[in-house]
């Protein structure tokens, strides 16, 4: 972790909020365009059924008006009506109440969860979107909330970039609970489908590989609308890097996945990581260079 004095200097002197937001929106647009192109050729992918599920849920949420801003929800982790209620229900979980450090994805529907993590006096660990501007940041009310600021100012991407404490690959910390966003999720196996970019899996791979979470015991929770809970994900069809969830929280209920939960992976699956993805994420290139330097053995690389 960077010292507090260094972080404050970066926030005051080195952060251009307008440029950050312009760059973020442009890269979001590029990423969504790339995902749309991938969907157009989904029959050639390893798991074409995931795109069929995504499209069905996105279309339904728009048609039935279950979606909230930003819209349309296609090619996003969809924001949903009742996200606040789902977050409040999550906060009642004993695993949340006992957690000290909680990792939460940076997407809009989980913003209420990030707010509750901070409001409850816990430490929030969150990535910069798509890991493109760095790695993770930690935030807490004690360390990062400046006089005159509201907690909510620490819960969006701009606030994280401006006020968060940067985390390095070598930082020593333990994640107690992981909260992820989903497009759809299965209560029988815990299988989840995100927006199609695989960042939740990459983040899990890095954290488990670096010893910052135990892949066997760290609880994974998702908050979704009730319509996003589905039963038709094909059993046994997840790829080896997919991270299933243990608990599904909706605005109306809590579903705990039983003994049928799919196994959780550990470490980065380098043989599934395309050269294009690797070129976009500096922290992965740094990690790959380090591992190859220490072992003297080239890591495998996935297909284009």
């Amino acid at each position: 972790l960077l010292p507090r004095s260094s972080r404050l200097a970066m926030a005051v002197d080195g952060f251009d909020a307008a440029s950050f937001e312009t760059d973020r929106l442009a890269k979001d647009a590029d990423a969504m365009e790339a995902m749309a192109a991938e969907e157009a050729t989904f029959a050639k992918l390893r798991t074409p059924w995931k795109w069929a599920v995504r499209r069905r849920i996105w279309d339904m949420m728009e048609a039935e008006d279950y979606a909230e801003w930003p819209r349309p929800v296609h090619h996003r982790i969809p924001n949903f009506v009742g996200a606040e209620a789902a977050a409040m229900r999550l906060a009642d979980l004993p695993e949340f109440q006992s957690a000290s450090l909680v990792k939460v994805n940076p997407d809009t529907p989980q913003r209420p969860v990030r707010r509750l993590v901070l409001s409850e006096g816990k430490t929030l660990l969150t990535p910069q979107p798509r890991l493109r501007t760095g790695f993770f940041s930690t935030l807490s009310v004690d360390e990062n909330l400046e006089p005159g600021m509201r907690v909510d100012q620490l819960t969006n991407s701009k606030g994280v970039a401006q006020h968060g404490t940067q985390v390095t690959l070598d930082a020593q910390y333990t994640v107690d609970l992981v909260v992820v966003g989903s497009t759809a999720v299965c209560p029988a196996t815990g299988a989840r489908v995100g927006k199609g970019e695989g960042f939740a899996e990459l983040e899990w791979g890095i954290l488990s590989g670096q010893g910052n979470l135990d892949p066997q015991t760290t609880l994974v929770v998702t908050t979704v609308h009730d319509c996003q809970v589905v039963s038709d994900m094909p059993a046994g069809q997840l790829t080896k890097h997919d991270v299933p969830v243990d608990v599904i929280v909706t605005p109306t209920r809590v579903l705990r996945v039983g003994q049928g939960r799919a196994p959780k992976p550990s470490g980065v699956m380098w043989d599934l990581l395309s050269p294009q993805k690797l070129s976009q994420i500096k922290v992965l290139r740094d990690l790959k260079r380090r591992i190859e330097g220490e072992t003297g053995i080239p890591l495998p690389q996935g297909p284009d």
Side-chain angles (χ1 to χ4, degrees), residues 280-292:
Q280 297 168 359
I281 305 173
K282 182 179 182 299
V283 68
L284 279 176
R285 298 195 302 274
D286 292 343
L287 182 60
K288 181 175 185 288
R289 190 179 305 113
R290 175 186 297 184
I291 294 173
E292 291 177 336

Side-chain angles (χ1 to χ4, degrees), residues 233-245:
M233 291 191 190
Q237 293 299 305
L238 295 180
T239 54
K240 63 182 181 179
H241 74 293
D242 285 325
V243 180
V245 305

Side-chain angles (χ1 to χ4, degrees), residues 82-94 96-97 113 116 221 223 226 247-256:
E84 294 272 359
M88 293 298 293
R89 197 173 289 276
L90 183 154
D92 288 335
L93 297 178
F96 177 86
Q97 294 173 0
V113 178
L116 280 168
V221 184
T223 57
D226 286 275
V247 184
I248 302 165
V249 183
T250 79
T252 65
R253 53 187 172 156
V254 173
L255 302 170
R256 290 184 178 267

Side-chain angles (χ1 to χ4, degrees), residues 197-220:
E197 292 186 297
F199 281 99
E201 289 75 19
L202 284 174
E203 293 157 11
W204 177 274
I206 294 170
L207 291 171
S208 59
Q210 292 296 102
N212 298 118
L213 64 77
D214 185 332
Q216 302 308 314
T217 61
T218 303
L219 200 77
V220 181

Side-chain angles (χ1 to χ4, degrees), residues 84-274:
E84 294 272 359
M88 293 298 293
R89 197 173 289 276
L90 183 154
D92 288 335
L93 297 178
E95 294 91 346
F96 177 86
Q97 294 173 0
S98 64
S100 297
L101 191 152
V102 183
K103 177 190 176 291
V104 187
N105 60 296
D107 300 281
T108 303
Q110 281 69 50
R111 188 172 185 180
V113 178
R114 298 192 294 275
R115 186 184 305 120
L116 280 168
V117 169
L118 294 170
S119 298
E120 293 292 323
K122 304 177 188 297
T123 298
L124 171 67
L125 178 74
T126 192
Q128 282 297 310
R130 300 183 173 92
L131 296 178
R132 62 197 173 207
T133 58
F135 187 33
F136 291 95
S137 297
T138 58
L139 299 103
S140 68
V141 168
D142 287 344
E143 289 294 321
N144 303 94
L145 190 68
E146 308 300 335
M149 286 178 59
R150 294 174 290 105
V151 168
D152 209 47
Q153 291 175 259
L154 301 180
T155 61
N156 61 11
S157 297
K158 183 170 66 175
V160 171
Q162 186 170 5
H163 302 289
T165 303
Q166 296 179 23
V167 175
T168 68
L169 274 172
D170 297 315
Q172 299 296 308
Y173 57 91
T174 299
V175 176
D176 299 311
L177 179 69
V178 172
V179 181
V180 296
S182 303
T183 294
V185 64
C186 174
T189 63
R192 65 172 285 278
V193 170
K195 59 178 175 281
E197 292 186 297
F199 281 99
E201 289 75 19
L202 284 174
E203 293 157 11
W204 177 274
I206 294 170
L207 291 171
S208 59
Q210 292 296 102
N212 298 118
L213 64 77
D214 185 332
Q216 302 308 314
T217 61
T218 303
L219 200 77
V220 181
V221 184
T222 190
T223 57
V224 293
H225 190 275
D226 286 275
C227 77
Q228 295 172 263
V229 180
V230 303
S231 59
D232 61 343
M233 291 191 190
Q237 293 299 305
L238 295 180
T239 54
K240 63 182 181 179
H241 74 293
D242 285 325
V243 180
V245 305
D246 300 286
V247 184
I248 302 165
V249 183
T250 79
T252 65
R253 53 187 172 156
V254 173
L255 302 170
R256 290 184 178 267
V257 180
Q259 294 183 348
R261 178 181 59 72
K264 292 176 183 172
S266 179
V268 176
M269 304 297 172
W270 298 100
D271 58 326
L272 298 180
L273 193 61
S274 71

